[in-house]
Amino acid sequence: MNRWTRPVNVTIMALFVIATASGGLAFLAGAPPVSGAVVAVHGASGLGLIVLVPAKIRIARRGLRRPGRSRKVISLVLAVLAVLAIGSGLLHAVGGFRPYLGLLPMQIHVGSALLALALIVAHVVAHHVRVRRPLLRRTDVERRVALRGAAVVAGAAALWVVAPGRERRFTGSHEVGSGDPAVMPVTNWLFDPVPSLDASTWRLRVPGRALDLADVGSLPQATVRAVLDCTGGWYAEQEWRGVPVAQLGLPASRSVEVVSSTGYRRRLPADGPLLLATHAAGRPLSAGHGGPVRLVVAGRRGFWWVKWVVAVEVTDEPWWLQPPLPLQ
């Protein structure tokens, strides 16, 4: 085996783990400076993988000459997934928020990265069990290897600084439809469908009563300017009008759980800046954007902004005691 084969593979593995972890954190973080730093690490680690492409190609050529069909298939599938993940990330940065063949670059980016991660984990575990060798060795952190790793990190950081791309928010999202809700994209979390709700029969369930749309409109109103930053890769700043959750007269609790007509739900701090919005930019919310009522949570990513709200429940469970990302 070439003396640099293992260091290159270990560095690629480390960068892929960092890119995957920082990508997941980027979905969760919605406020600077944390979000900006996480996105920078994510982008730089992805570019670091590009820096190592020439070295990896040389290694792959040698590996493909060896016997073993399953190894070759795994290598080729991993290569395709890696190209899709990195290429779609660059396409999102350069091309803006637009679909290609019915898919958004961010969807391709996340999907291919998760598939590659599952394949890498299975491959590493199988290889580790078969050869009975440690995943990391002392030679993996020797001085020369460390210096090469530092050079890769420096090269990736330099690429991140000069890399082309459209102007984006610190989360990496492109601006689409600020001030004009009709232009905002209609995107849903995973497989959450767009329901058909009749405003005349819609009800909001709160402890002890049910409110219709007229009841909600008669409560003290508030207007909030907030940015809806979708994990699909776009954001829009709107003026949202509706009822603060604090005006619902709910019993004291640690948290409130906001429930959608689809069953989607998110738990949030009861004392947080929560608004049940009925209007955006002075217009009633459309069905695609969560009408007749959606939750607005300034400073959090879009998956916290529950659409088609039909219930607000109180609970003493801490808000963080739930999956960090919705499973529905």
Side-chain angles (χ1 to χ4, degrees):
M1 179 184 289
N2 185 285
R3 60 185 297 214
W4 293 116
T5 296
R6 182 173 174 83
V8 168
N9 286 339
V10 170
T11 304
I12 288 176
M13 179 70 69
L15 287 173
F16 189 84
V17 169
I18 293 170
T20 304
S22 57
L25 287 174
F27 270 21
L28 301 176
V34 174
S35 184
V38 169
V39 170
V41 170
H42 181 68
S45 56
L47 293 173
L49 293 172
I50 295 178
V51 170
L52 289 171
V53 164
K56 185 59 180 175
I57 288 176
R58 290 194 293 271
I59 295 171
R61 282 176 178 170
R62 290 196 301 271
L64 290 174
R65 296 192 192 106
R66 298 173 187 165
R69 183 177 179 182
S70 62
R71 181 190 298 140
K72 294 177 182 179
V73 171
I74 290 174
S75 297
L76 290 173
V77 172
L78 271 175
V80 171
L81 291 174
V83 169
L84 283 175
I86 297 172
S88 56
L90 291 173
L91 187 60
H92 170 74
V94 176
F97 182 82
R98 52 174 296 191
Y100 297 86
L101 300 177
L103 289 174
L104 295 170
M106 190 59 64
Q107 293 172 324
I108 301 171
H109 182 65
V110 174
S112 55
L114 291 177
L115 289 174
L117 177 63
L119 192 57
I120 286 174
V121 170
H123 176 63
V124 168
V125 170
H127 180 75
H128 176 60
V129 170
R130 184 172 65 252
V131 302
R132 302 284 183 182
R133 291 176 183 172
L135 296 178
L136 290 176
R137 304 173 189 169
R138 182 178 298 178
T139 54
D140 293 336
V141 290
E142 67 180 8
R143 185 170 179 271
R144 285 187 178 181
V145 176
L147 288 174
R148 285 212 166 194
V152 171
V153 171
L159 279 177
W160 173 255
V161 171
V162 302
R166 296 189 179 186
E167 183 178 352
R168 292 177 289 162
R169 199 167 184 249
F170 54 83
T171 57
S173 297
H174 296 275
E175 188 277 327
V176 184
S178 291
D180 188 356
V183 180
M184 283 199 309
V186 174
T187 54
N188 301 329
W189 182 259
L190 293 181
F191 308 108
D192 209 25
V194 177
S196 178
L197 296 179
D198 185 345
S200 64
T201 59
W202 173 89
R203 296 293 183 271
L204 174 67
R205 300 190 308 275
V206 297
R209 55 181 174 154
L211 307 174
D212 61 19
L213 205 53
D215 294 328
V216 171
S218 67
L219 294 173
Q221 303 287 298
T223 299
V224 174
R225 180 167 288 276
V227 174
L228 171 57
D229 193 331
C230 179
T231 53
W234 64 273
Y235 78 90
E237 184 177 15
Q238 308 290 357
E239 191 173 81
W240 309 88
R241 177 162 59 86
V243 178
V245 169
Q247 296 291 340
L248 295 177
L250 303 178
S253 64
R254 272 191 189 176
S255 312
V256 294
E257 196 152 27
V258 183
V259 184
S260 169
S261 66
T262 65
Y264 183 100
R265 58 178 62 213
R266 285 271 89 188
R267 190 183 306 148
L268 294 131
D271 58 355
L274 309 178
L275 180 78
L276 294 176
T278 57
H279 292 71
R283 309 171 209 170
L285 288 174
S286 66
H289 294 311
V293 173
R294 80 171 300 162
L295 182 67
V296 170
V297 195
R300 291 184 182 258
R301 299 301 298 273
F303 64 86
W304 293 96
W305 294 41
V306 180
K307 292 182 174 182
W308 314 296
V309 176
V310 293
V312 178
E313 303 169 354
V314 298
T315 175
D316 287 330
E317 295 286 340
W319 70 269
W320 46 263
L321 194 61
Q322 63 183 325
L325 292 171
L327 301 179
Q328 181 175 355

